[in-house]
Amino acid sequence: MQITHSIPELRAALAQRGKPAFVPTMGNLHDGHLSLVRIAKQHGDVTVASIFVNRLQFLPHEDFDSYPRTWDADCEKLQSQGCDILFAPREKDLYPEPQLFKIQPDPALADILEGAFRPGFFTGVCTVVMKLFSSVFATTGGGTAVFGMKDYQQLMVIRRMVQQFALPIDVIAGNTARADDGLALSSRNGYLNTDERHRAMALSQALKTLADAARKGDAPLAALEAQAMDALRAQGWQPDYLTVRNRSDLLAPADASLQASAPLVALGAARIGNTRLIDNLEF
Ligand code: PAF
């Protein structure tokens, strides 16, 4: 695996290699990331992963400084999956000067759910992803990018950005990888202590219970969502939201959609101890 740090180095490594399939990450890689790399290997001539902890998508009180940086283990894992090129820009490579031009995503999609609790998050994500895309794809005439479904809203925002800017990039989604008890794999799971880890499966269980009850129409949706949040609180969590939305636009579904088999998704974000986790379930 070739390791590159600057954009010119990356572009030189990509020359004459065909179409890249690209997996952007912030490192601290787990099996979920590695499953995305395996997908990428099926969809391009050359597999590229990036590791960059993007300051722009963290609020001042969030965990930018303490975000786990596990360089040696990450390199070994990527190598084991047959990743061809690792792009690991330093801050000065991606942001050589203050980033004053930013991508402002559609607020109807980006200011709800995660965007409501983490203002500016999707501006930070879109801005870095646009820079990563330009680093990887500008000289290759496009290619494929693979994103995980655990970050469901992020995936939708990126898809819309690619569509609105007519970027020559196919975005592919990889399923959420889960531990045996259902906990979605996340770099932030490493923050959980033993007791929190034992209780962490409650988030995916709450989403399943909410999805089942919503489809059965057991009660108005708002009441079911409130019940789901109460149930999670009773297990020591502090939920930001647990909600059922249309898969198409992440807005609340019409009542009729709940009775029919309209494509819906239950999404949740909640804090256990000091750790904030997100998850979702399509149904
Ligand atoms: O999902 C992530 O790890 C990040 O949001 C991404 C897409 C790498 C951008 O920093």
Side-chain angles (χ1 to χ4, degrees), residues 24-26 52 54 57 125 128-129 147 151 154:
T25 82
M26 297 205 301
F52 181 69
N54 172 40
Q57 70 191 71
V125 168
V128 80
V129 170
F147 288 83
D151 298 296
Q154 168 174 281

